[in-house]
Amino acid sequence: MKVCIIGQGYIGLPTAALFARNHCEVVGVDVNEKIIDNLNNGIIHIEEPGISDIIKKALELNVYKASLTPEKADAFIITVPTPYIVENYSCDLSYVISACESIIPYLKKGNTVIIESTIAPMSTDDIIKPIFENAGYTIGKDLYLAHCPERVLPGKIIDELIHNDRIIGGVTPECSVKASEVYGQFVEGELMLTEAKTAELSKCMENTFRDVNIALANELAKICAEIGVNALDVIKMANKHPRVNLHSPGPGVGGHCLAIDPYFIYAKAPETAKIIKLSRDTNNSMPEFVCDNVRKIIKEGKIAVLGVSYKGNTGDDRESPAYEIIANLEKDYEIAIYDPHIENPNFVSFKEAVDNAGLILILCDHNEFKNLDYESVKENTVIFDTKNIIEEVPDNIKLYNYGNLYTLNNN
Ligand code: SAJ
């Protein structure tokens, strides 16, 4: 089988590597000339275990090449980004549309076209299908079109691409069968055949499920701060119930999935998607909640912010709530930022950040923050741990987290 993959990023490149390793001929297409040159020389631009060796071997065996233009193939897979439109958070399909248009000159009857990028429900039927119909194809008869969303964890992409179950959403049942033959080349998990719109909504709902559950935990944290209960104890106790799994409250929800995908659903049914929208609003309100509590803890002076990544132990700061918190506090306090996972000329070392700081504000659960070097921290410094990762502090340091925020109301 010959496969042409449009987009050689975090998903497209590992996918290309696995097809090549499984005896397919692969063309990896990208608009970035430097990426293409590097890939053809075995230089990999993404940090992901296992990819580099597979691509180098595939280049040696002549089964993989990177190119600026598509080629004729049996299957085409689109793995380009789907950003959101800033004004209303709806799904920006422009890269997907131009990727689809770019393959039209190379298509032939019997080909399979698969969209992997996360897209809003109904996008395949309403927007992508007409692109190929207008080019003269009858979907399900002489061209097979499907949406098959990726669902992988960075750092474990190769393993998850092979072993995770996969949603195969064809525009027609014939399209699902053809798309499953493509993934059958390397996927060992179950291939679940369904309709395109079901696949689209399933992917969006996976991330919405987490967002809604996190919103519930965040709402609990606010209620506890208001009525005087330890939220962390409530979560610990309630989760002893075999069918309860309260999530963890925090400073907000970041990243390019949970903070975005729920809006794709909301935009489709704004009158009905009430819990989804309320959850987004609740999670978006957490930076302000953090700032309000900071203001109760200290009135002026220096704050050391620890961690701006959206998630612990990564250097990814997309949509991180930390930036909104910093922008808010910068108006009234001197802010020094330390993040061991992000290189930024404006950030400082831990020692510099905590030097003379009245408050240490933890916004991310990097492992480095679990046991801080308290020798560098001056006496009577206050820590506000919004990720609830610090278990113990020396006697001369005061710790606030979501377990005891309510005590601030009595001050
Ligand atoms: N967070 C909380 N409380 C929690 C859990 C997370 O506040 O109890 C926050 C995190 O701090 C972070 C945000 O939520 O700011 C998102 O973190 P995450 O680890 O839940 O999600 P992502 O965005 O890194 O990855 C998700 C995953 N989806 C699901 O777990 C359903 C991943 O499997 C997907 O591949 C990815 O989205 C994606 O590509 O869609």
Side-chain angles (χ1 to χ4, degrees), residues 152 203 206-207 210 214 247-248 254 257-258 310-311 387:
V152 291
K203 165 73 190 190
E206 290 169 11
N207 287 330
R210 270 182 84 67
I214 296 164
H247 286 41
S248 308
C257 305
L258 272 63
Y310 87 86
K311 157 164 168 170
K387 293 298 289 186

Side-chain angles (χ1 to χ4, degrees), residues 59-342:
L59 286 165
E60 262 171 48
L61 295 173
N62 236 350
V63 288
Y64 172 81
K65 76 167 170 205
S67 170
L68 283 168
T69 45
E71 283 185 11
K72 286 195 158 60
D74 301 301
F76 293 81
I77 301 183
I78 313 268
T79 55
V80 294
T82 36
Y84 62 94
I85 296 164
V86 179
E87 292 78 49
N88 58 7
Y89 287 96
S90 65
C91 181
D92 178 356
L93 283 174
S94 52
Y95 296 126
V96 173
I97 291 169
S98 71
C100 289
E101 286 166 347
S102 80
I103 63 173
I104 285 175
Y106 305 93
L107 285 178
K108 56 183 189 297
K109 288 192 172 177
N111 278 169
T112 304
V113 177
I114 296 168
I115 314 296
E116 279 207 17
S117 314
T118 303
I119 49 182
M122 318 313 286
S123 301
T124 309
D125 285 328
D126 293 352
I127 296 162
I128 297 162
K129 185 172 148 230
I131 297 174
F132 297 108
E133 286 174 336
N134 291 340
Y137 292 97
T138 307
I139 307 301
K141 293 267 183 309
D142 54 16
L143 188 74
Y144 304 95
L145 176 63
H147 173 56
C148 306
E150 53 78 16
R151 19 150 70 166
V152 291
L153 193 69
K156 285 180 66 186
I157 292 182
I158 289 287
D159 179 60
E160 295 214 347
L161 278 178
I162 297 172
H163 295 110
N164 286 1
D165 297 339
R166 194 93 208 203
I167 308 173
I168 313 284
V171 167
T172 68
E174 295 78 16
C175 296
S176 300
V177 171
K178 287 285 185 183
S180 71
E181 285 167 10
V182 175
Y183 287 104
Q185 301 291 323
F186 70 83
V187 174
E188 292 177 19
E190 187 191 342
L191 299 174
M192 301 177 290
L193 275 52
T194 185
E195 294 173 287
K197 60 188 177 188
T198 312
E200 291 160 343
L201 189 53
S202 302
K203 165 73 190 190
C204 291
M205 271 315 278
E206 290 169 11
N207 287 330
T208 302
F209 169 87
R210 270 182 84 67
D211 195 54
V212 170
N213 277 284
I214 296 164
L216 188 62
N218 283 332
E219 187 167 291
L220 170 72
K222 287 180 165 183
I223 292 167
C224 288
E226 190 177 311
I227 67 174
V229 182
N230 182 323
L232 303 181
D233 282 350
V234 171
I235 293 168
K236 197 159 77 192
M237 304 292 148
N239 283 348
K240 293 284 182 197
H241 186 294
R243 286 174 298 282
V244 173
N245 176 21
L246 284 169
H247 286 41
S248 308
V253 167
H256 223 254
C257 305
L258 272 63
I260 311 285
D261 297 355
Y263 287 115
F264 293 178
I265 302 175
Y266 172 71
K268 279 282 160 195
E271 294 298 320
T272 318
K274 291 192 167 47
I275 294 177
I276 294 174
K277 176 63 164 52
L278 192 57
S279 300
R280 282 278 70 239
D281 292 346
T282 302
N283 289 335
N284 284 342
S285 75
M286 293 313 286
E288 195 183 338
F289 177 72
V290 169
C291 294
D292 287 349
N293 281 288
V294 164
R295 290 195 162 80
K296 288 182 194 167
I297 298 169
I298 59 167
K299 301 282 173 241
E300 56 187 11
K302 178 177 169 185
I303 298 175
V305 168
L306 303 194
V308 294
S309 303
Y310 87 86
K311 157 164 168 170
N313 306 316
T314 77
D316 190 341
D317 61 355
R318 288 177 299 170
E319 308 301 318
S320 173
Y323 289 117
E324 191 183 332
I325 294 169
I326 291 165
N328 181 323
L329 295 176
E330 251 168 4
K331 294 180 211 147
D332 304 307
Y333 303 88
E334 181 194 345
I335 305 286
I337 304 168
Y338 167 63
D339 192 315
H341 291 265
I342 295 183

